Amino acid sequence: MDWQGRVGDVWAAQWRRTERSFTHLTTQLDAVIAAVAPAQGRVLDIGCGVGSTGLALRAARPDLALVGGDLSPGLLALAQARADEWLSGVSGNPPRFVCGDAVTVAAAEGPFDLFVSRHGVMFFPDPVVAFAGLRAAAAPGAMMVFSCFDERGHNRFATLADEVIGDAPATTSDYAPGPFAFADLHRTGAWLERAGWTIDSAARVGFDYIVGEGEGAVEEAVDFLSHIGPAARAIATATPDERARIVTALREALSHHRTEDRVALPASAWIWRIRAR
């Protein structure tokens, strides 16, 4: 995925909607992070996006030194702007945001006492190599807390897209970076162990993936999913007639998930808590 180019730019343009979509997951993830976060030390926010996970922690632990790493310059610019706003008047070192892949940033900026990530780890080309690289940048006893999507079938934004497109992706046992790359609990656990991490816990959490709100909630949801996610990729490459068919089917499917002025799709994720050996 072109996080340094088109994909990153789309996510930057849609950042308020993507942040809203993860609202209920964010609450649960932040609570797990807060339970293990030290009062002092250094923390790396992996695939930080617009910075929400790291900035929430930094606001709660002003003596932590935060580094956020991401491949998208556009997302990092937003993270910096939000840091300036969120942490205005808060004491401590100002957060730093670095453009680059997580392992390179960790090696250059470490060692770290804590690693955090909200859905930022699923795009590693080789997960064992990546997590081993992060382990090499860990201080003794360092913790990591990260979230990732559960299986595709437990996430309605994906199965709904499959239905309206009319072509579900083929299943394969081969690893491929992407939203569901870390969905398998046992395979992910084996990768982490091989990379030098000890697993403290892995909890499956359900949440509402909010895709539209307000009087025009369904139309907003159609627009959002036309820019972000598997339906967006199909729409972008479809012929005009096929694009119109997909959008019509998407609108109809989303209307069944509207409750009052909100469209929310059931979703599921894993929250991992691991420790450097």
Side-chain angles (χ1 to χ4, degrees):
M1 297 181 69
D2 184 19
W3 288 106
Q4 291 181 304
R6 186 189 64 81
V7 173
D9 291 344
V10 170
W11 276 70
Q14 296 287 325
W15 77 270
R16 289 182 176 83
R17 288 173 169 176
T18 57
E19 287 300 302
R20 182 185 61 191
S21 71
F22 285 121
T23 297
H24 295 145
L25 173 65
T26 296
T27 300
Q28 298 178 75
L29 177 64
D30 286 352
V32 177
I33 293 172
V36 303
Q40 296 179 323
R42 293 171 56 75
V43 57
L44 175 63
D45 187 355
I46 300 166
C48 67
V50 297
S52 295
T53 302
L55 291 176
L57 175 60
R58 175 60 176 70
R61 302 282 198 280
D63 291 328
L64 281 177
L66 169 66
V67 177
D70 202 280
L71 290 171
S72 168
L75 290 172
L76 289 174
L78 288 165
Q80 184 62 64
R82 297 180 81 216
D84 294 342
E85 178 181 354
W86 278 36
L87 303 180
S88 176
V90 177
S91 62
N93 296 325
R96 297 182 59 248
F97 296 98
V98 182
C99 191
D101 71 86
V103 176
T104 300
V105 172
E109 301 286 338
F112 290 98
D113 302 284
L114 176 65
F115 301 84
V116 299
S117 183
R118 189 191 69 190
H119 280 42
V121 303
M122 299 103 68
F123 304 97
F124 292 143
D126 185 321
V128 175
V129 170
F131 275 93
L134 296 171
R135 169 63 186 86
M143 297 287 296
M144 181 186 298
V145 178
F146 70 87
S147 66
C148 56
F149 277 122
D150 192 2
E151 296 175 5
R152 189 182 190 93
H154 296 161
N155 285 279
R156 183 59 179 147
F157 75 89
T159 59
L160 185 148
D162 296 342
E163 292 166 9
V164 302
I165 295 167
D167 183 23
T171 58
T172 176
S173 60
D174 296 334
Y175 173 78
F180 303 104
F182 281 63
D184 186 292
L185 174 70
H186 301 293
R187 185 164 74 160
T188 301
W191 291 336
L192 297 172
E193 293 278 2
R194 286 170 56 195
W197 295 87
T198 296
I199 298 166
D200 278 6
S201 63
R204 175 181 273 145
V205 296
F207 65 100
D208 287 341
Y209 187 80
I210 304 168
V211 293
E213 284 184 323
E215 184 176 348
V218 171
E219 289 306 314
E220 187 192 8
V222 170
D223 188 67
F224 177 50
L225 295 182
S226 296
H227 288 89
I228 300 290
R233 291 189 287 275
I235 290 170
T237 58
T239 64
D241 287 347
E242 179 65 5
R243 185 179 303 119
R245 185 199 67 77
I246 293 173
V247 169
T248 299
L250 184 62
R251 180 179 295 109
E252 173 64 21
L254 288 169
S255 68
H256 296 295
H257 291 276
R258 177 171 185 165
T259 302
E260 296 181 348
D261 287 342
R262 192 180 78 158
V263 179
L265 305 175
S268 181
W270 294 104
I271 295 180
W272 287 84
R273 196 174 76 176
I274 61 178
R275 186 185 308 271
R277 287 204 298 269

